[in-house]
Amino acid sequence: MIYEDKAKYSDILKDSIQYLENHGFEHIKADIDGYETPKSYTKAGSNISITPDVVATKEGRKYYFDISLKSEKPNLLKSKWIFLNTLSAMKSSRFRLITARGHYAFTQEMLDSINLNNKNLIKL
């Protein structure tokens, strides 16, 4: 999600965290009350900052998760996904997208447009 959408979709973020906990993920960090906020990455020489929606570990491997929901600013979301996908590849981590009913087609169209169509979606 991009920052403007976080308050609107906080329930889906909570459901996502519950899903991850139920599937064995540990050390969960999320930008929500009760959890440590994930590390933000800032573009050098600008005020652009990217923060994954959720970061967790499972079996010693770090995972970056982003919640995919319809957005008024799809280009920001695309940029965030490309960055997180690249970051995870550089750090031998994994990048996954979580989406909810009513947002599947939007998510798939976005992934196709940035050539990330090899991503398996976590569908809540």
Side-chain angles (χ1 to χ4, degrees), residues 6 16 27 58 62 68-69 77 82 84 88 104:
K6 280 197 188 282
S16 300
H27 310 291
K58 183 175 183 179
K62 189 174 199 175
S68 174
L69 304 170
L77 201 52
I82 291 169
L84 290 173
S88 65
Y104 299 160

Side-chain angles (χ1 to χ4, degrees), residues 6 13 16-17 20-21 25-41 51-57 62-67 98:
K6 280 197 188 282
L13 182 57
S16 300
I17 292 168
L20 295 174
E21 288 173 342
F25 286 89
E26 302 173 313
H27 310 291
I28 296 174
K29 296 180 184 179
D31 194 11
I32 196 165
D33 289 341
Y35 293 88
E36 182 181 343
T37 303
K39 177 182 178 183
S40 293
Y41 300 88
T51 306
D53 290 332
V54 180
V55 176
T57 58
K62 189 174 199 175
Y63 287 77
Y64 297 94
F65 295 95
D66 204 57
I67 311 295
I98 300 171

